Amino acid sequence: MWITKIAGTGSCVPEKIITNNDLSEIVDTSDEWIRSRTGIGERRITEELTTAGLAAKAAQNALLDADMKAEDLELILVATSSPEHFFPSVACEVQGMIGGKNAIAYDLSAACSGFLFALNTAYAFLKSGSYKNALVIGADVMSKMVNWKDRSTCVLFGDGAGAAVIRAEMAEDAGMPEGIRHFIMGSDGSGAGVLTCTARSNGNFLLGKESQMGYLSMNGQEVFKFAVKKVPECISQLLSEADEKKEEISYFLLHQANYRIIESVAKRLKLPLERFPMNIEHYGNTSGASIPILLDELNRSGLLSRGDKLVLSGFGAGLTWGAVLLTW
Ligand code: COA
């Protein structure tokens, strides 16, 4: 039997650290306000590296971890909402940077749920037998999307990239039964207005409309309500459909948007918060990159053992949400 498993992980965050106190010199905010509302203490902001540059470094780290050459990749998917260009795609840039010349490459846009949507897409290709080796990346430079004069949003986000090599293997070769087991995904365009970033070239020649800079805007409380309801619902549905008990799950890796959202999800699922690893204090919300960065940190810290059951779950603009169950 063929299984689809995560064979390696990697990540890359910029070196430059911007603390809450640094931000209080730019906008009317404080470390106390940001920490108590979100759990964020600092974030990384890129100076030199582009979205593709961060993504390529994360990809190289994932390939090393998987002991795989870039030429062996058949598919490169990048989930991003902050590409440098409308075209070429970040995925094509990454393909060129890492030398993955045999892979087809394209981007996917599902905001903070993007990594899961891309993982689901790669999973479908691998499961169908189209490809055996794929690279899935979540990469975002949110620092170029936010308005640095808007304290209600600029304090929340950070830059980074995370990647996973996905491989289809015969179960006997893999020596383990399952890999990726079940997915739940959802989208609700009727909620599109609560979290948006206007495209930066929305001018119109005929109407004499100049292109303008678009910035991220958000109704924070609506997003909060959506997340604390939808994420536990979606995880419960995932586990019920896969006939798996929540108590059997070693870790729930949630999109790192807000400490209080994660705390509320744990409470609604009646599970101890220790099962919900977090790194939001150090990186803020890195959008599509947050789940794979967290997964890579767990992998590298040795916290994951073969056979551990994991749930990854994300939510974000669209509105979009999703969760995946896998055995490590
Ligand atoms: N520093 C200080 N004060 C701030 C501030 C900041 N950075 N940002 C907003 N405020 C102020 C507001 O102006 C408001 O002041 P007022 O009462 O005088 O009008 C007050 O703080 C409360 O604002 P509010 O928006 O009601 O705060 P909140 O408790 O809802 O917290 C969020 C705001 C954004 C932290 C919270 O709504 C949230 O986390 N939502 C989810 C966002 C998210 O996860 N987005 C990404 C999804 S992928």
Side-chain angles (χ1 to χ4, degrees):
M1 189 186 70
W2 285 95
I3 59 156
T4 302
K5 61 180 274 196
I6 294 183
T9 64
S11 60
C12 174
V13 292
E15 279 174 18
K16 182 81 178 166
I17 296 172
I18 301 291
T19 65
N20 293 342
N21 285 331
D22 292 334
L23 289 184
S24 70
E25 291 174 16
I26 307 171
V27 287
D28 182 12
T29 191
S30 64
D31 182 57
E32 197 283 327
W33 192 97
I34 302 170
R35 274 184 197 274
S36 61
R37 295 286 210 292
T38 69
I40 300 167
E42 59 193 29
R43 69 286 294 142
R44 303 297 182 98
I45 304 291
T46 186
E47 291 172 289
E48 302 293 332
L49 283 171
T50 60
T51 305
L54 288 164
K57 283 188 186 290
Q60 280 161 336
N61 292 335
L63 285 167
L64 273 178
D65 190 41
D67 197 16
M68 189 187 284
K69 292 195 196 73
E71 305 93 81
D72 294 333
L73 292 168
E74 295 157 288
L75 173 70
I76 299 174
L77 294 178
V78 177
T80 185
S81 332
S82 51
E84 257 66 53
H85 317 107
F86 286 122
F87 48 84
S89 64
V90 174
C92 279
E93 289 185 273
V94 170
Q95 191 235 36
M97 288 171 176
I98 67 172
K101 58 185 181 188
N102 298 313
I104 64 152
Y106 60 93
D107 290 355
L108 220 129
S109 163
C112 301
S113 312
F115 178 77
L116 285 187
F117 277 54
L119 187 64
N120 191 12
T121 306
Y123 174 58
F125 274 120
L126 267 59
K127 213 175 159 198
S128 72
S130 300
Y131 306 119
K132 289 200 173 55
N133 297 320
L135 177 64
V136 179
I137 306 171
D140 273 306
V141 175
M142 297 307 289
S143 60
K144 68 186 176 201
M145 314 303 278
V146 297
N147 178 351
W148 286 96
K149 292 183 179 142
D150 175 11
R151 67 177 183 174
S152 69
T153 53
C154 75
V155 302
L156 304 174
F157 295 93
D159 304 337
V165 171
I166 318 295
R167 199 153 54 197
E169 294 179 1
M170 286 301 283
E172 300 88 75
D173 299 339
M176 57 171 280
E178 282 156 329
I180 294 174
R181 290 169 50 189
H182 193 53
F183 261 102
I184 292 280
M185 315 295 293
S187 306
D188 176 10
S190 71
V194 300
L195 181 49
T196 68
C197 186
T198 313
R200 277 143 200 230
S201 66
N202 61 352
N204 185 296
F205 164 66
L206 292 176
L207 300 177
K209 210 169 131 195
E210 296 283 333
S211 292
Q212 288 175 337
M213 284 293 283
Y215 289 114
L216 184 148
S217 74
M218 176 177 75
N219 181 333
Q221 288 180 5
E222 285 304 314
V223 175
F224 197 98
K225 279 191 262 172
F226 151 71
V228 298
K229 183 168 180 288
K230 194 52 92 177
V231 175
E233 261 176 30
C234 151
I235 291 176
S236 300
Q237 187 188 345
L238 174 86
L239 294 177
S240 150
E241 287 181 12
D243 199 18
E244 186 62 78
K245 290 194 183 66
K246 62 185 178 185
E247 292 77 15
E248 295 292 312
I249 306 302
S250 303
Y251 295 110
F252 294 81
L253 280 72
L254 266 49
H255 169 48
Q256 305 285 295
N258 184 317
Y259 173 88
R260 290 187 299 134
I261 292 178
I262 298 173
E263 200 177 39
S264 166
V265 171
K267 211 180 238 176
R268 284 179 193 224
L269 289 171
K270 297 192 175 58
L271 287 166
L273 196 56
E274 298 77 61
R275 300 260 191 96
F276 293 74
M278 284 185 240
N279 60 12
I280 185 164
E281 186 184 356
H282 300 295
Y283 304 128
N285 179 346
T286 55
S287 192
S290 89
I291 293 174
I293 291 175
L294 185 63
L295 180 65
D296 185 48
E297 284 189 348
L298 242 65
N299 183 21
R300 280 168 203 274
S301 64
L303 276 171
L304 300 180
S305 307
R306 217 167 160 77
D308 274 354
K309 293 168 186 171
L310 306 180
V311 167
L312 279 46
S313 179
F315 58 90
L319 294 166
T320 54
W321 61 92
V324 58
L325 169 68
L326 57 94
T327 301
W328 190 248

